[in-house]
Amino acid sequence: MIIGVPRERKTLEKRVALTPDGAHQLVEHGHRVLIEENAGLGADFSNDAFHEAGAEIVSTLKDVWTKAELVVKVKEPHETEYEFFRPGLALFDYLHLASMPDVTKAMLDGGMTGIAYELVQLADGRLPLLEPMSEVAGKLSVLNGSFYLLSQNEGRGVLLGGAVGVPRSNVTIIGAGTSGRAACEMAFGMGAHVTVLDVNTAKLEALKFDFSNQITTAYSTPAAIRRILQTTDLLIGAVLVPGAAAPRIITRDMIKEMPKGSAFVDISIDQGGCAETIRATSLEDPVYIEEGVLHYGVCNMPAQTARTSTMALTSATLPYITQLADTGIQEALLKYPLLRNALNTHKGKLTNQAVSDAVGVEYTSIDAALG
Ligand SMILES: NC(=O)c1ccc[n+]([C@@H]2O[C@H](COP(=O)([O-])OP(=O)(O)OC[C@H]3O[C@@H](n4cnc5c(N)ncnc54)[C@H](O)[C@@H]3O)[C@@H](O)[C@H]2O)c1
């Protein structure tokens, strides 16, 4: 199979979908790997490194998209890529279509097969292709948030760990999944007082145990969120309902009652965000102030650590890319339930119920779409 890897077009997105080691494995399996020139530079993987791994360097975006049978990417397709969509071409990528009606329409109009990294789900409910980036985003949420709490950034001017004779700051994390746990690890390590809320008490229990009872946990209800936010310095949104738009559990009124100059990093912005006041921002211009609170809504936070993120991502995606390439797209979708259940679009049909509900396009079952 011919596998194409375009350079990412999103603002300041420096990750690439494959490392040279990943490309090498696919070449060893008998596939051709086309890498757009300079696609890996932002993650410090040179064209030479890909060439030595057996990949072919192609000079234009068009070359990648028109020659490939399977395109692997990091972020959702850019509008300059829509013209290459066609039936028989598959895209394996973080799609997040529930919050991307334009991308959804373009993929359906083009008849593309779209398989979403974030919907590959193991029998125990884990999301193995979301986990590595969620871990990175969780850790970065505390680093980014603590930066915006600094006085010169119009923040409250508080240090997460406090100082001798000065109390620790309060970090509140909503969602005790992968990104919430990573944020907890970072905030706890920086000496903050951490409170984690979730609707899944088993996850809260595990977290409390792992942090030797030195964090606070709370069941996530509107009343608990409102009360805790009144004394929160750094709020982190880390909720997910797989495939669906993020639940809007934080109201404008709750944000209004937070201390002035506190910061809110909404990791779940890629699914639309979990607060009434949040909107997507970019790495170029990441923050805005609403109701006196600094809001950070970057959808591609792991791009800030492009090398670490590219290596972590490839480790997770490579087994699935290999399955798709070795087996063939249609056959792999029929044979492997994990890939089949992550199918979002196929031959003009939308095959995910949650995405259908979010974007208002008719749903077709995966079995019917695959024929
Ligand atoms: N912005 C970025 O750059 C970036 C990077 C990676 C991941 N993400 C996103 O971060 C989000 C979280 O990902 P994750 O891997 O941590 O998910 P996860 O499934 O591991 O955890 C989500 C948690 O949210 C909880 N939850 C659901 N509804 C809730 C509610 N009403 N109140 C409290 N908790 C609730 C779930 O029980 C679960 O524990 C996803 O949208 C993911 O796509 C964003």
Side-chain angles (χ1 to χ4, degrees):
M1 182 173 290
I2 305 178
I3 301 147
V5 180
R7 180 172 58 76
E8 295 294 317
R9 260 59 187 178
K10 203 175 177 89
T11 312
L12 292 180
E13 180 55 72
K14 293 175 187 254
R15 287 173 291 177
V16 60
L18 266 187
T19 59
D21 283 356
H24 183 255
Q25 172 168 310
L26 294 168
V27 172
E28 288 282 291
H29 278 236
H31 307 298
R32 284 177 66 194
V33 178
L34 310 182
I35 307 277
E36 187 183 353
E37 194 170 17
N38 298 338
L41 287 191
D44 198 21
F45 293 116
S46 65
N47 295 327
D48 284 349
F50 279 110
H51 180 70
E52 281 161 23
E56 300 161 48
I57 309 297
V58 296
S59 52
T60 65
L61 183 68
K62 186 175 176 190
D63 282 338
V64 176
W65 278 93
T66 53
K67 290 179 182 160
E69 298 161 89
L70 167 65
V71 171
V72 291
K73 269 181 61 65
V74 181
K75 292 306 289 182
E76 72 281 354
H78 187 258
E79 57 194 29
T80 53
E81 299 177 303
Y82 297 173
E83 64 176 294
F84 307 118
F85 292 177
R86 59 186 186 275
L89 174 64
L91 173 65
F92 192 34
D93 186 8
Y94 287 120
L95 289 173
H96 296 293
L97 293 185
S99 59
M100 305 270 171
D102 293 350
V103 180
T104 309
K105 182 174 184 313
M107 293 190 60
L108 292 172
D109 289 349
M112 285 279 294
T113 297
I115 307 163
Y117 289 163
E118 73 276 12
L119 293 178
V120 173
Q121 187 162 27
L122 303 177
D124 63 3
R126 286 178 42 218
L127 303 165
L129 305 194
L130 195 57
E131 278 175 7
M133 293 306 95
S134 290
E135 181 193 357
V136 172
K139 289 180 175 170
L140 286 170
S141 68
V142 177
L143 288 184
N144 292 144
S146 59
F147 175 73
Y148 287 107
L149 281 174
L150 300 178
S151 307
Q152 70 270 29
N153 295 327
E154 300 186 57
R156 283 198 93 193
V158 293
L159 191 57
L160 285 194
V164 175
V166 182
R168 302 180 280 165
S169 297
N170 291 321
V171 175
T172 300
I173 301 164
I174 308 190
T178 310
S179 60
R181 170 177 283 270
C184 181
E185 196 183 304
M186 197 62 131
F188 184 77
M190 289 169 83
H193 172 253
V194 184
T195 302
V196 185
L197 298 96
D198 202 303
V199 286
N200 182 329
T201 46
K203 285 194 178 181
L204 292 178
E205 188 184 357
L207 209 57
K208 202 168 168 66
F209 179 81
D210 291 348
F211 285 86
S212 307
N213 211 14
Q214 293 186 71
I215 59 164
T216 303
T217 55
Y219 189 75
S220 175
T221 63
I225 296 173
R226 178 182 295 277
R227 188 173 57 252
I228 293 164
L229 291 200
Q230 288 167 1
T231 54
T232 291
D233 298 290
L234 173 57
L235 167 64
I236 293 172
V239 302
L240 175 67
V241 177
R248 290 264 159 139
I249 51 179
I250 303 169
T251 63
R252 178 173 289 279
D253 277 355
M254 294 176 188
I255 293 283
K256 218 184 252 181
E257 291 171 14
M258 287 180 71
K260 296 296 165 227
S262 53
F264 170 32
V265 177
D266 196 353
I267 307 174
S268 57
I269 186 64
D270 60 349
Q271 293 289 126
C274 64
E276 271 177 8
T277 50
I278 195 72
R279 59 178 158 78
T281 60
S282 67
L283 284 171
E284 250 174 355
D285 190 10
V287 165
Y288 63 93
I289 296 179
E290 188 98 14
E291 306 294 357
V293 175
L294 287 102
H295 285 57
Y296 180 101
V298 174
C299 292
N300 57 334
M301 295 169 67
Q304 297 171 93
T305 50
R307 191 169 168 85
T308 301
S309 300
T310 294
M311 292 162 85
L313 180 62
T314 301
S315 310
T317 55
L318 192 58
Y320 299 95
I321 297 172
T322 308
Q323 274 183 345
L324 283 167
D326 287 357
T327 318
I329 305 297
Q330 177 86 10
E331 294 71 18
L333 290 169
L334 291 169
K335 187 171 172 188
Y336 298 113
L338 264 55
L339 289 169
R340 182 167 64 244
N341 293 337
L343 185 68
N344 268 359
T345 63
H346 189 62
K347 295 184 181 162
K349 306 285 187 211
L350 183 63
T351 58
N352 182 285
Q353 183 70 64
V355 175
S356 156
D357 293 345
V359 301
V361 173
E362 192 192 345
Y363 164 75
T364 303
S365 74
I366 291 176
D367 289 345
L370 286 175

